[in-house]
PDB file of all heavy atoms in Angstrom:
ATOM      1  N   CYS Y  27     116.491  87.998  99.586  1.00 86.00           N
ATOM      2  CA  CYS Y  27     116.708  88.640 100.880  1.00 86.00           C
ATOM      3  C   CYS Y  27     116.322  90.107 100.836  1.00 86.00           C
ATOM      4  O   CYS Y  27     115.786  90.657 101.804  1.00 86.00           O
ATOM      5  CB  CYS Y  27     118.168  88.489 101.314  1.00 86.00           C
ATOM      6  SG  CYS Y  27     118.639  86.795 101.751  1.00 86.00           S
ATOM      7  N   HIS Y  28     116.593  90.779  99.709  1.00 84.00           N
ATOM      8  CA  HIS Y  28     116.221  92.185  99.598  1.00 84.00           C
ATOM      9  C   HIS Y  28     114.703  92.338  99.621  1.00 84.00           C
ATOM     10  O   HIS Y  28     114.163  93.256 100.263  1.00 84.00           O
ATOM     11  CB  HIS Y  28     116.789  92.767  98.301  1.00 84.00           C
ATOM     12  CG  HIS Y  28     116.456  94.218  98.100  1.00 84.00           C
ATOM     13  ND1 HIS Y  28     116.955  95.213  98.907  1.00 84.00           N
ATOM     14  CD2 HIS Y  28     115.663  94.833  97.185  1.00 84.00           C
ATOM     15  CE1 HIS Y  28     116.496  96.386  98.504  1.00 84.00           C
ATOM     16  NE2 HIS Y  28     115.700  96.177  97.468  1.00 84.00           N
ATOM     17  N   ARG Y  29     113.992  91.424  98.924  1.00 83.00           N
ATOM     18  CA  ARG Y  29     112.537  91.497  98.912  1.00 83.00           C
ATOM     19  C   ARG Y  29     111.939  91.229 100.285  1.00 83.00           C
ATOM     20  O   ARG Y  29     110.967  91.865 100.684  1.00 83.00           O
ATOM     21  CB  ARG Y  29     111.987  90.484  97.896  1.00 83.00           C
ATOM     22  CG  ARG Y  29     110.469  90.481  97.764  1.00 83.00           C
ATOM     23  CD  ARG Y  29     110.013  89.471  96.719  1.00 83.00           C
ATOM     24  NE  ARG Y  29     110.370  88.119  97.112  1.00 83.00           N
ATOM     25  CZ  ARG Y  29     109.632  87.377  97.937  1.00 83.00           C
ATOM     26  NH1 ARG Y  29     108.525  87.874  98.478  1.00 83.00           N
ATOM     27  NH2 ARG Y  29     109.994  86.152  98.241  1.00 83.00           N
ATOM     28  N   ARG Y  30     112.531  90.283 101.033  1.00 82.00           N
ATOM     29  CA  ARG Y  30     112.013  89.923 102.350  1.00 82.00           C
ATOM     30  C   ARG Y  30     112.631  90.743 103.473  1.00 82.00           C
ATOM     31  O   ARG Y  30     112.338  90.511 104.636  1.00 82.00           O
ATOM     32  CB  ARG Y  30     112.276  88.430 102.605  1.00 82.00           C
ATOM     33  CG  ARG Y  30     111.538  87.505 101.663  1.00 82.00           C
ATOM     34  CD  ARG Y  30     112.008  86.067 101.819  1.00 82.00           C
ATOM     35  NE  ARG Y  30     111.792  85.576 103.165  1.00 82.00           N
ATOM     36  CZ  ARG Y  30     110.678  85.001 103.583  1.00 82.00           C
ATOM     37  NH1 ARG Y  30     109.663  84.877 102.749  1.00 82.00           N
ATOM     38  NH2 ARG Y  30     110.554  84.567 104.816  1.00 82.00           N
ATOM     39  N   LYS Y  31     113.522  91.687 103.112  1.00 79.00           N
ATOM     40  CA  LYS Y  31     114.213  92.537 104.093  1.00 79.00           C
ATOM     41  C   LYS Y  31     114.944  91.679 105.122  1.00 79.00           C
ATOM     42  O   LYS Y  31     114.812  91.847 106.337  1.00 79.00           O
ATOM     43  CB  LYS Y  31     113.217  93.469 104.793  1.00 79.00           C
ATOM     44  CG  LYS Y  31     112.529  94.446 103.847  1.00 79.00           C
ATOM     45  CD  LYS Y  31     111.677  95.432 104.606  1.00 79.00           C
ATOM     46  CE  LYS Y  31     110.932  96.365 103.676  1.00 79.00           C
ATOM     47  NZ  LYS Y  31     111.841  97.152 102.828  1.00 79.00           N
ATOM     48  N   GLN Y  32     115.695  90.723 104.614  1.00 83.00           N
ATOM     49  CA  GLN Y  32     116.488  89.842 105.458  1.00 83.00           C
ATOM     50  C   GLN Y  32     117.957  90.126 105.249  1.00 83.00           C
ATOM     51  O   GLN Y  32     118.375  90.672 104.220  1.00 83.00           O
ATOM     52  CB  GLN Y  32     116.206  88.366 105.126  1.00 83.00           C
ATOM     53  CG  GLN Y  32     114.868  87.866 105.587  1.00 83.00           C
ATOM     54  CD  GLN Y  32     114.710  86.388 105.283  1.00 83.00           C
ATOM     55  OE1 GLN Y  32     115.146  85.929 104.233  1.00 83.00           O
ATOM     56  NE2 GLN Y  32     114.109  85.656 106.186  1.00 83.00           N
ATOM     57  N   LYS Y  33     118.747  89.746 106.212  1.00 84.00           N
ATOM     58  CA  LYS Y  33     120.193  89.878 106.096  1.00 84.00           C
ATOM     59  C   LYS Y  33     120.744  88.757 105.234  1.00 84.00           C
ATOM     60  O   LYS Y  33     120.312  87.619 105.349  1.00 84.00           O
ATOM     61  CB  LYS Y  33     120.818  89.844 107.482  1.00 84.00           C
ATOM     62  CG  LYS Y  33     120.319  90.962 108.353  1.00 84.00           C
ATOM     63  CD  LYS Y  33     120.867  90.841 109.745  1.00 84.00           C
ATOM     64  CE  LYS Y  33     120.316  91.956 110.615  1.00 84.00           C
ATOM     65  NZ  LYS Y  33     120.808  91.870 111.990  1.00 84.00           N
ATOM     66  N   CYS Y  34     121.668  89.110 104.381  1.00 87.00           N
ATOM     67  CA  CYS Y  34     122.198  88.154 103.405  1.00 87.00           C
ATOM     68  C   CYS Y  34     123.699  88.012 103.617  1.00 87.00           C
ATOM     69  O   CYS Y  34     124.401  88.996 103.862  1.00 87.00           O
ATOM     70  CB  CYS Y  34     121.909  88.649 101.983  1.00 87.00           C
ATOM     71  SG  CYS Y  34     122.415  87.496 100.694  1.00 87.00           S
ATOM     72  N   ASP Y  35     124.194  86.780 103.536  1.00 83.00           N
ATOM     73  CA  ASP Y  35     125.629  86.560 103.740  1.00 83.00           C
ATOM     74  C   ASP Y  35     126.416  86.616 102.426  1.00 83.00           C
ATOM     75  O   ASP Y  35     127.612  86.339 102.392  1.00 83.00           O
ATOM     76  CB  ASP Y  35     125.871  85.229 104.436  1.00 83.00           C
ATOM     77  CG  ASP Y  35     125.341  84.035 103.662  1.00 83.00           C
ATOM     78  OD1 ASP Y  35     124.805  84.242 102.548  1.00 83.00           O
ATOM     79  OD2 ASP Y  35     125.449  82.904 104.171  1.00 83.00           O
ATOM     80  N   ARG Y  36     125.693  86.931 101.313  1.00 80.00           N
ATOM     81  CA  ARG Y  36     126.340  87.136 100.017  1.00 80.00           C
ATOM     82  C   ARG Y  36     126.949  85.874  99.431  1.00 80.00           C
ATOM     83  O   ARG Y  36     127.774  85.944  98.528  1.00 80.00           O
ATOM     84  CB  ARG Y  36     127.414  88.238 100.098  1.00 80.00           C
ATOM     85  CG  ARG Y  36     126.861  89.616 100.366  1.00 80.00           C
ATOM     86  CD  ARG Y  36     126.092  90.145  99.177  1.00 80.00           C
ATOM     87  NE  ARG Y  36     126.944  90.255  98.008  1.00 80.00           N
ATOM     88  CZ  ARG Y  36     126.505  90.276  96.755  1.00 80.00           C
ATOM     89  NH1 ARG Y  36     125.215  90.167  96.521  1.00 80.00           N
ATOM     90  NH2 ARG Y  36     127.338  90.400  95.740  1.00 80.00           N
ATOM     91  N   GLU Y  37     126.573  84.708  99.939  1.00 81.00           N
ATOM     92  CA  GLU Y  37     127.001  83.467  99.306  1.00 81.00           C
ATOM     93  C   GLU Y  37     126.049  83.170  98.155  1.00 81.00           C
ATOM     94  O   GLU Y  37     125.014  83.818  97.976  1.00 81.00           O
ATOM     95  CB  GLU Y  37     126.992  82.324 100.323  1.00 81.00           C
ATOM     96  CG  GLU Y  37     127.952  82.530 101.494  1.00 81.00           C
ATOM     97  CD  GLU Y  37     129.400  82.468 101.076  1.00 81.00           C
ATOM     98  OE1 GLU Y  37     129.683  81.855 100.015  1.00 81.00           O
ATOM     99  OE2 GLU Y  37     130.242  83.041 101.775  1.00 81.00           O
ATOM    100  N   LEU Y  38     126.382  82.163  97.372  1.00 80.00           N
ATOM    101  CA  LEU Y  38     125.536  81.775  96.248  1.00 80.00           C
ATOM    102  C   LEU Y  38     125.369  80.251  96.242  1.00 80.00           C
ATOM    103  O   LEU Y  38     126.295  79.527  95.864  1.00 80.00           O
ATOM    104  CB  LEU Y  38     126.147  82.241  94.923  1.00 80.00           C
ATOM    105  CG  LEU Y  38     125.256  82.018  93.684  1.00 80.00           C
ATOM    106  CD1 LEU Y  38     123.983  82.855  93.814  1.00 80.00           C
ATOM    107  CD2 LEU Y  38     125.997  82.401  92.416  1.00 80.00           C
ATOM    108  N   PRO Y  39     124.238  79.706  96.675  1.00 83.00           N
ATOM    109  CA  PRO Y  39     123.121  80.450  97.258  1.00 83.00           C
ATOM    110  C   PRO Y  39     123.422  80.868  98.698  1.00 83.00           C
ATOM    111  O   PRO Y  39     124.244  80.247  99.365  1.00 83.00           O
ATOM    112  CB  PRO Y  39     121.974  79.447  97.196  1.00 83.00           C
ATOM    113  CG  PRO Y  39     122.665  78.117  97.295  1.00 83.00           C
ATOM    114  CD  PRO Y  39     123.964  78.272  96.556  1.00 83.00           C
ATOM    115  N   CYS Y  40     122.719  81.893  99.184  1.00 85.00           N
ATOM    116  CA  CYS Y  40     122.953  82.375 100.547  1.00 85.00           C
ATOM    117  C   CYS Y  40     122.289  81.436 101.551  1.00 85.00           C
ATOM    118  O   CYS Y  40     121.474  80.576 101.180  1.00 85.00           O
ATOM    119  CB  CYS Y  40     122.427  83.799 100.700  1.00 85.00           C
ATOM    120  SG  CYS Y  40     120.624  83.923 100.677  1.00 85.00           S
ATOM    121  N   SER Y  41     122.608  81.607 102.820  1.00 83.00           N
ATOM    122  CA  SER Y  41     122.096  80.698 103.853  1.00 83.00           C
ATOM    123  C   SER Y  41     120.588  80.804 104.002  1.00 83.00           C
ATOM    124  O   SER Y  41     119.908  79.808 104.277  1.00 83.00           O
ATOM    125  CB  SER Y  41     122.774  81.001 105.198  1.00 83.00           C
ATOM    126  OG  SER Y  41     122.506  82.332 105.597  1.00 83.00           O
ATOM    127  N   ASN Y  42     120.027  82.015 103.828  1.00 84.00           N
ATOM    128  CA  ASN Y  42     118.577  82.163 103.950  1.00 84.00           C
ATOM    129  C   ASN Y  42     117.854  81.391 102.858  1.00 84.00           C
ATOM    130  O   ASN Y  42     116.850  80.712 103.115  1.00 84.00           O
ATOM    131  CB  ASN Y  42     118.190  83.646 103.876  1.00 84.00           C
ATOM    132  CG  ASN Y  42     118.618  84.410 105.101  1.00 84.00           C
ATOM    133  OD1 ASN Y  42     118.649  83.870 106.193  1.00 84.00           O
ATOM    134  ND2 ASN Y  42     118.965  85.679 104.936  1.00 84.00           N
ATOM    135  N   CYS Y  43     118.342  81.487 101.637  1.00 83.00           N
ATOM    136  CA  CYS Y  43     117.702  80.758 100.537  1.00 83.00           C
ATOM    137  C   CYS Y  43     117.869  79.253 100.709  1.00 83.00           C
ATOM    138  O   CYS Y  43     116.973  78.475 100.366  1.00 83.00           O
ATOM    139  CB  CYS Y  43     118.285  81.216  99.198  1.00 83.00           C
ATOM    140  SG  CYS Y  43     117.822  82.922  98.746  1.00 83.00           S
ATOM    141  N   ARG Y  44     119.015  78.822 101.243  1.00 78.00           N
ATOM    142  CA  ARG Y  44     119.195  77.384 101.486  1.00 78.00           C
ATOM    143  C   ARG Y  44     118.220  76.889 102.542  1.00 78.00           C
ATOM    144  O   ARG Y  44     117.649  75.809 102.405  1.00 78.00           O
ATOM    145  CB  ARG Y  44     120.634  77.091 101.923  1.00 78.00           C
ATOM    146  CG  ARG Y  44     121.668  77.233 100.816  1.00 78.00           C
ATOM    147  CD  ARG Y  44     122.947  76.476 101.169  1.00 78.00           C
ATOM    148  NE  ARG Y  44     123.503  76.913 102.436  1.00 78.00           N
ATOM    149  CZ  ARG Y  44     124.426  77.852 102.565  1.00 78.00           C
ATOM    150  NH1 ARG Y  44     124.887  78.478 101.486  1.00 78.00           N
ATOM    151  NH2 ARG Y  44     124.898  78.193 103.746  1.00 78.00           N
ATOM    152  N   SER Y  45     118.043  77.662 103.608  1.00 75.00           N
ATOM    153  CA  SER Y  45     117.151  77.219 104.687  1.00 75.00           C
ATOM    154  C   SER Y  45     115.699  77.180 104.237  1.00 75.00           C
ATOM    155  O   SER Y  45     114.897  76.439 104.789  1.00 75.00           O
ATOM    156  CB  SER Y  45     117.294  78.137 105.900  1.00 75.00           C
ATOM    157  OG  SER Y  45     116.860  79.449 105.589  1.00 75.00           O
ATOM    158  N   ARG Y  46     115.349  77.986 103.223  1.00 77.00           N
ATOM    159  CA  ARG Y  46     113.977  78.033 102.720  1.00 77.00           C
ATOM    160  C   ARG Y  46     113.793  77.206 101.462  1.00 77.00           C
ATOM    161  O   ARG Y  46     112.756  77.287 100.819  1.00 77.00           O
ATOM    162  CB  ARG Y  46     113.579  79.482 102.454  1.00 77.00           C
ATOM    163  CG  ARG Y  46     113.528  80.358 103.689  1.00 77.00           C
ATOM    164  CD  ARG Y  46     113.314  81.834 103.391  1.00 77.00           C
ATOM    165  NE  ARG Y  46     112.184  82.029 102.508  1.00 77.00           N
ATOM    166  CZ  ARG Y  46     112.253  82.580 101.284  1.00 77.00           C
ATOM    167  NH1 ARG Y  46     113.421  82.976 100.810  1.00 77.00           N
ATOM    168  NH2 ARG Y  46     111.178  82.731 100.548  1.00 77.00           N
ATOM    169  N   ASN Y  47     114.831  76.427 101.099  1.00 72.00           N
ATOM    170  CA  ASN Y  47     114.770  75.603  99.883  1.00 72.00           C
ATOM    171  C   ASN Y  47     114.477  76.446  98.641  1.00 72.00           C
ATOM    172  O   ASN Y  47     113.716  76.052  97.741  1.00 72.00           O
ATOM    173  CB  ASN Y  47     113.704  74.503 100.029  1.00 72.00           C
ATOM    174  CG  ASN Y  47     114.054  73.523 101.103  1.00 72.00           C
ATOM    175  OD1 ASN Y  47     115.222  73.179 101.290  1.00 72.00           O
ATOM    176  ND2 ASN Y  47     113.059  73.048 101.849  1.00 72.00           N
ATOM    177  N   ARG Y  48     115.078  77.636  98.583  1.00 77.00           N
ATOM    178  CA  ARG Y  48     114.896  78.534  97.452  1.00 77.00           C
ATOM    179  C   ARG Y  48     116.225  78.802  96.762  1.00 77.00           C
ATOM    180  O   ARG Y  48     116.512  79.910  96.309  1.00 77.00           O
ATOM    181  CB  ARG Y  48     114.286  79.859  97.932  1.00 77.00           C
ATOM    182  CG  ARG Y  48     112.888  79.715  98.507  1.00 77.00           C
ATOM    183  CD  ARG Y  48     111.856  79.550  97.431  1.00 77.00           C
ATOM    184  NE  ARG Y  48     111.740  80.735  96.593  1.00 77.00           N
ATOM    185  CZ  ARG Y  48     111.039  80.801  95.487  1.00 77.00           C
ATOM    186  NH1 ARG Y  48     110.402  79.729  95.044  1.00 77.00           N
ATOM    187  NH2 ARG Y  48     110.983  81.916  94.778  1.00 77.00           N
ATOM    188  N   GLU Y  49     117.086  77.809  96.671  1.00 75.00           N
ATOM    189  CA  GLU Y  49     118.396  77.995  96.075  1.00 75.00           C
ATOM    190  C   GLU Y  49     118.316  78.502  94.639  1.00 75.00           C
ATOM    191  O   GLU Y  49     119.117  79.336  94.209  1.00 75.00           O
ATOM    192  CB  GLU Y  49     119.195  76.688  96.115  1.00 75.00           C
ATOM    193  CG  GLU Y  49     119.574  76.217  97.517  1.00 75.00           C
ATOM    194  CD  GLU Y  49     118.528  75.313  98.121  1.00 75.00           C
ATOM    195  OE1 GLU Y  49     117.378  75.349  97.635  1.00 75.00           O
ATOM    196  OE2 GLU Y  49     118.848  74.581  99.077  1.00 75.00           O
ATOM    197  N   SER Y  50     117.325  78.024  93.902  1.00 72.00           N
ATOM    198  CA  SER Y  50     117.225  78.414  92.491  1.00 72.00           C
ATOM    199  C   SER Y  50     116.857  79.882  92.317  1.00 72.00           C
ATOM    200  O   SER Y  50     117.118  80.474  91.259  1.00 72.00           O
ATOM    201  CB  SER Y  50     116.184  77.542  91.788  1.00 72.00           C
ATOM    202  OG  SER Y  50     114.910  77.680  92.410  1.00 72.00           O
ATOM    203  N   ALA Y  51     116.245  80.483  93.330  1.00 79.00           N
ATOM    204  CA  ALA Y  51     115.819  81.884  93.228  1.00 79.00           C
ATOM    205  C   ALA Y  51     116.876  82.851  93.742  1.00 79.00           C
ATOM    206  O   ALA Y  51     116.667  84.060  93.698  1.00 79.00           O
ATOM    207  CB  ALA Y  51     114.508  82.092  93.993  1.00 79.00           C
ATOM    208  N   CYS Y  52     117.980  82.344  94.248  1.00 84.00           N
ATOM    209  CA  CYS Y  52     119.013  83.210  94.826  1.00 84.00           C
ATOM    210  C   CYS Y  52     119.862  83.804  93.697  1.00 84.00           C
ATOM    211  O   CYS Y  52     120.574  83.081  92.988  1.00 84.00           O
ATOM    212  CB  CYS Y  52     119.881  82.421  95.802  1.00 84.00           C
ATOM    213  SG  CYS Y  52     121.050  83.443  96.729  1.00 84.00           S
ATOM    214  N   SER Y  53     119.796  85.115  93.529  1.00 83.00           N
ATOM    215  CA  SER Y  53     120.570  85.800  92.493  1.00 83.00           C
ATOM    216  C   SER Y  53     120.872  87.217  92.954  1.00 83.00           C
ATOM    217  O   SER Y  53     120.217  87.747  93.860  1.00 83.00           O
ATOM    218  CB  SER Y  53     119.800  85.820  91.167  1.00 83.00           C
ATOM    219  OG  SER Y  53     118.583  86.538  91.319  1.00 83.00           O
ATOM    220  N   TYR Y  54     121.864  87.834  92.303  1.00 80.00           N
ATOM    221  CA  TYR Y  54     122.320  89.165  92.703  1.00 80.00           C
ATOM    222  C   TYR Y  54     122.263  90.114  91.511  1.00 80.00           C
ATOM    223  O   TYR Y  54     122.358  89.695  90.344  1.00 80.00           O
ATOM    224  CB  TYR Y  54     123.748  89.102  93.242  1.00 80.00           C
ATOM    225  CG  TYR Y  54     123.881  88.284  94.504  1.00 80.00           C
ATOM    226  CD1 TYR Y  54     124.084  86.907  94.446  1.00 80.00           C
ATOM    227  CD2 TYR Y  54     123.792  88.879  95.747  1.00 80.00           C
ATOM    228  CE1 TYR Y  54     124.194  86.153  95.594  1.00 80.00           C
ATOM    229  CE2 TYR Y  54     123.903  88.139  96.913  1.00 80.00           C
ATOM    230  CZ  TYR Y  54     124.104  86.781  96.838  1.00 80.00           C
ATOM    231  OH  TYR Y  54     124.216  86.040  97.980  1.00 80.00           O
ATOM    232  N   ASP Y  55     122.128  91.406  91.804  1.00 71.00           N
ATOM    233  CA  ASP Y  55     122.149  92.413  90.746  1.00 71.00           C
ATOM    234  C   ASP Y  55     123.544  92.501  90.133  1.00 71.00           C
ATOM    235  O   ASP Y  55     124.551  92.394  90.845  1.00 71.00           O
ATOM    236  CB  ASP Y  55     121.771  93.785  91.305  1.00 71.00           C
ATOM    237  CG  ASP Y  55     120.309  93.856  91.697  1.00 71.00           C
ATOM    238  OD1 ASP Y  55     119.537  93.028  91.178  1.00 71.00           O
ATOM    239  OD2 ASP Y  55     119.949  94.713  92.518  1.00 71.00           O
ATOM    240  N   PRO Y  56     123.638  92.727  88.827  1.00 64.00           N
ATOM    241  CA  PRO Y  56     124.963  92.889  88.204  1.00 64.00           C
ATOM    242  C   PRO Y  56     125.688  94.100  88.780  1.00 64.00           C
ATOM    243  O   PRO Y  56     125.098  95.142  89.042  1.00 64.00           O
ATOM    244  CB  PRO Y  56     124.631  93.097  86.718  1.00 64.00           C
ATOM    245  CG  PRO Y  56     123.261  92.543  86.551  1.00 64.00           C
ATOM    246  CD  PRO Y  56     122.544  92.760  87.842  1.00 64.00           C
ATOM    247  N   GLY Y  57     126.950  93.943  89.028  1.00 57.00           N
ATOM    248  CA  GLY Y  57     127.746  95.041  89.551  1.00 57.00           C
ATOM    249  C   GLY Y  57     127.731  95.157  91.055  1.00 57.00           C
ATOM    250  O   GLY Y  57     128.413  96.022  91.620  1.00 57.00           O
ATOM    251  N   ALA Y  58     126.939  94.309  91.753  1.00 56.00           N
ATOM    252  CA  ALA Y  58     126.910  94.378  93.211  1.00 56.00           C
ATOM    253  C   ALA Y  58     128.214  93.845  93.771  1.00 56.00           C
ATOM    254  O   ALA Y  58     128.870  92.997  93.161  1.00 56.00           O
ATOM    255  CB  ALA Y  58     125.735  93.560  93.742  1.00 56.00           C
TER     256      ALA Y  58
END
């Protein structure tokens, strides 16, 4: 979401990644 400048709901995986079938690529920076 950060790369695509999209809003993220902070779930794991987030809704945007689920809708794009990119669940495996959904990850967060440590400490966020």
Side-chain angles (χ1 to χ4, degrees):
C27 291
H28 180 67
R29 181 179 63 84
R30 296 171 60 88
K31 297 186 183 300
Q32 287 183 321
K33 300 175 182 179
C34 184
D35 60 2
R36 293 290 299 158
E37 298 292 337
L38 186 64
C40 70
S41 60
N42 290 328
C43 291
R44 289 200 304 267
S45 65
R46 296 172 51 242
N47 295 323
R48 296 283 295 171
E49 293 90 340
S50 59
C52 187
S53 62
Y54 296 87
D55 290 339

